[in-house]
């Protein structure tokens, strides 16, 4: 049926019926410079089943895509793999509009959905890791606790071998291309890494366990149907391998230097340290926080061995953009980093000390006391910064193959 928004066929009986959010630029603190999509999927069996929904403002777009395949009133089952509002936000509208027989979710999902909505429909738990018939289509659901919410789960449509992985293996990219292999590989690689760094990094341990259990199944899936961005019909084993590398925090010989500066003194120190780190054999990424977003810093940390954070002193405090980054890092828990604090000061070194203490809290292995320069660095100070960069890179090269 011709509708303003059309579905896309994924297999004989599975259709993408999601929504594209072209203008999204902030996803709870994550810079989504390429927008995103909320992917929902229609499965046609003896009955019609909808897997996940979309963010509330996109209800009409989803319904239009569903209507291009079937009358939405034929939806009898709704599967909620993840209760976060970008995937469940229009559940109340959907339930009111189509009156399904049931909403199926994980055991924990029953309580989570109840804490979000007063849904006028039975909300039933599905068995974990056992095949279940949903309207004539056989699914196996696997609990995926803390990936990245307690109620998250993954569904496999048996026969079609399509894995519905909700947030996992996703990326924030808005595009009409629905398959990752239809987009430039550099964009796909960067956005997949950025997504892992900013959504899944704190949950590397449960992700690692999930990959131990299901990695081969996911690698062998015909399609990995994630809830954000393009879906995977090629390179499934490669993306699983990347996830393993990131979960294990396998670092490269890479130093990330991030700083704020008021009068370019801390900036000069950063550049001199970068010069030395390069001479010492490390790859360097230097990021100024008046330009670089916290989520882009996290992406660079995914394969970094060292993190250096520079801050000037502003009224006895670290610079606000540095505090913002460090607060974000506390939640994201990057691991296996060495590092140090540095910065210029006037009459108190409080800022560099605060950064030092926060890095300690983050379990960064500190290689020295804060490197500080009073007011404006002279050549001798910058030479000391460069030497520090060299020493740090030597330590990185010692520990990273
Ligand atoms: Fe895409 Fe955790 O929501």
């Amino acid at each position: 049926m011709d509708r303003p928004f059309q579905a896309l066929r994924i297999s004989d009986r599975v259709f993408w019926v999601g929504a594209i959010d072209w203008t999204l630029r902030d996803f709870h603190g994550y810079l989504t410079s390429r927008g995103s999509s909320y992917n929902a999927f229609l499965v046609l069996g003896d009955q019609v089943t909808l897997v996940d929904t979309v963010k509330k403002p996109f209800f009409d777009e989803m319904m239009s895509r569903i209507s291009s395949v079937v009358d939405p009133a034929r939806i009898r089952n709704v599967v909620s793999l993840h209760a976060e509002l970008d995937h469940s936000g229009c559940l109340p509208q959907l339930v009111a509009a189509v009156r399904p027989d049931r909403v199926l979710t994980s055991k924990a999902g029953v309580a989570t959905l109840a804490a979000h909505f007063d849904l006028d429909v039975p909300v039933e738990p599905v068995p974990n890791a056992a095949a279940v018939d949903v309207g004539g289509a056989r699914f196996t659901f696997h609990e995926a606790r803390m990936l990245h919410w307690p109620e998250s789960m993954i569904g496999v449509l048996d026969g079609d071998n399509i894995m519905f992985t909700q947030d996992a293996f996703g990326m924030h990219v808005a595009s009409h291309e629905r398959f990752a292999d239809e987009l430039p590989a550099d964009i796909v690689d960067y956005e997949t890494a950025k997504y892992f760094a900013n959504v899944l990094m704190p949950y590397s341990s449960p992700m690692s366990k999930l990959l131990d259990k299901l990695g081969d199944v996911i690698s062998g899936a015909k399609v990995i149907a994630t809830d954000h961005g393009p879906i995977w019909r090629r390179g499934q084993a490669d993306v699983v391998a990347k996830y393993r590398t990131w979960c294990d925090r396998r670092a490269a010989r890479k130093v990330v230097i991030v700083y704020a500066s008021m009068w370019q003194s801390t900036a000069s120190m950063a550049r001199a340290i970068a010069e030395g780190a390069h001479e010492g054999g490390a790859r360097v990424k230097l990021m100024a926080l008046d330009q670089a977003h916290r989520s882009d810093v996290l992406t660079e940390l995914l394969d970094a061995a060292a993190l250096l954070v520079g801050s000037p002193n502003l009224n006895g405090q670290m610079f606000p953009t540095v505090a913002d980054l460090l607060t974000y890092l506390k939640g994201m828990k990057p691991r296996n980093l060495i590092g140090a604090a540095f910065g210029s000061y006037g009459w108190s070194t409080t800022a560099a000390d605060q950064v030092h203490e926060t890095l300690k809290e983050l379990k960064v292995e500190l290689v020295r006391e804060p490197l500080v320069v009073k007011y404006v660095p002279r050549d001798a100070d910058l030479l000391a910064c460069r030497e520090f960069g060299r020493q740090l890179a030597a330590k990185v090269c010692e520990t990273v193959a």
Side-chain angles (χ1 to χ4, degrees):
M1 282 167 277
D2 205 18
R3 290 285 184 272
F5 298 93
Q6 293 288 120
L8 182 82
R9 186 186 285 275
I10 306 294
S11 76
D12 285 349
R13 58 175 176 167
V14 178
F15 294 81
W16 173 81
V17 290
I20 306 173
D21 193 346
W22 294 97
T23 58
L24 181 79
R25 290 296 178 269
D26 177 84
F27 197 98
H28 39 55
Y30 173 155
L31 175 68
T32 48
S33 49
R34 290 189 167 94
S36 193
S37 72
Y38 315 110
N39 298 336
F41 301 93
L42 205 60
V43 180
L44 308 183
D46 301 334
Q47 296 177 340
V48 177
T49 297
L50 181 65
V51 178
D52 281 334
T53 68
V54 298
K55 207 174 183 178
K56 194 173 178 181
F58 295 89
F59 176 70
D60 289 345
E61 184 174 330
M62 178 186 75
M63 292 301 272
S64 176
R65 293 192 200 278
I66 294 170
S67 301
S68 73
V69 182
V70 294
D71 178 354
R74 288 185 54 203
I75 295 172
R76 294 296 87 217
N77 313 289
V78 179
V79 173
S80 172
L81 297 172
H82 180 23
E84 194 164 10
L85 288 163
D86 47 337
H87 310 299
S88 71
C90 66
L91 253 183
Q93 285 164 282
L94 180 85
V95 167
V98 310
R99 299 260 158 226
D101 295 335
R102 62 192 66 79
V103 172
L104 299 169
T105 186
S106 64
K107 197 172 158 196
V110 175
T112 309
L113 286 176
H116 280 75
F117 312 112
D118 297 314
L119 292 174
D120 185 19
V121 64
V123 178
E124 300 167 8
V126 291
N128 182 37
V132 57
D133 182 274
V134 181
R138 203 173 71 140
F139 283 86
T140 304
F141 295 104
H142 299 272
E143 288 180 359
R145 290 182 68 78
M146 298 320 298
L147 292 171
H148 64 126
W149 275 24
E151 89 304 336
S152 300
M153 69 174 181
I154 284 175
V156 188
L157 179 60
D158 298 337
D160 296 54
N161 194 16
I162 294 177
M163 294 210 72
F164 300 98
T165 57
Q166 40 94 24
D167 282 343
F169 307 106
M171 69 190 88
H172 285 309
V173 173
S175 67
H176 284 298
E177 290 76 16
R178 284 270 56 81
F179 296 101
D181 57 87
E182 296 175 313
L183 288 167
D186 58 338
I187 292 178
V188 169
D189 289 350
Y190 182 78
E191 295 297 344
T192 303
K194 183 170 185 178
Y195 191 89
F196 182 94
N198 288 278
V199 178
L200 296 169
M201 186 189 278
Y203 309 105
S204 293
S205 174
M207 177 52 83
S208 209
K209 288 189 184 116
L210 183 86
L211 293 180
D212 288 347
K213 192 170 121 193
L214 290 178
D216 290 344
V217 182
I218 299 168
S219 296
K222 193 165 177 199
V223 172
I224 301 176
T226 166
D227 271 0
H228 289 294
I231 63 181
W232 304 88
R233 65 181 172 185
R234 293 194 189 123
Q236 293 89 323
D238 293 341
V239 72
V240 168
K242 278 184 186 160
Y243 264 50
R244 281 197 187 279
T245 301
W246 296 329
C247 287
D248 295 348
R249 273 284 302 139
R250 279 176 243 160
R253 290 176 170 180
K254 176 177 169 188
V255 175
V256 173
I257 304 171
V258 57
Y259 68 92
S261 195
M262 290 161 62
W263 296 106
Q264 297 307 303
S265 293
T266 303
S268 296
M269 295 175 72
R271 289 200 299 273
I273 296 168
E275 195 81 1
H278 167 70
E279 286 169 8
R283 183 153 56 88
V284 176
K285 183 73 184 179
L286 185 141
M287 307 177 92
L289 285 172
D290 58 348
Q291 297 156 19
H293 193 267
R294 64 177 92 83
S295 55
D296 290 321
V297 175
L298 247 290
T299 310
E300 292 298 337
L301 285 178
L302 204 48
D303 62 348
L307 169 65
L308 302 178
V309 180
S311 177
N313 213 58
L314 178 64
N315 300 321
Q317 296 295 321
M318 67 175 101
F319 205 73
T321 51
V322 175
D324 174 280
L325 174 71
L326 292 177
T327 300
Y328 193 57
L329 291 184
K330 277 186 194 175
M332 303 313 288
K333 301 181 176 63
R335 290 286 177 254
N336 303 338
L337 288 164
I338 64 171
F342 67 95
S344 154
Y345 72 100
W347 52 97
S348 154
T349 61
T350 315
D353 293 339
Q354 286 175 341
V355 172
H356 181 86
E357 288 307 314
T358 311
L359 290 176
K360 205 186 281 181
E361 272 180 59
L362 283 164
K363 299 188 168 50
V364 173
E365 183 193 326
L366 294 164
V367 296
R368 59 165 295 153
E369 291 301 305
L371 174 58
V372 291
V373 171
K374 194 170 177 68
Y375 288 117
V376 177
R378 304 298 202 271
D379 275 358
D381 300 310
L382 295 178
L383 283 168
C385 289
R386 181 173 150 191
E387 179 54 28
F388 166 57
R390 257 198 297 256
Q391 287 170 8
L392 181 84
K395 191 165 166 67
V396 164
C397 293
E398 253 173 53
T399 52
V400 178

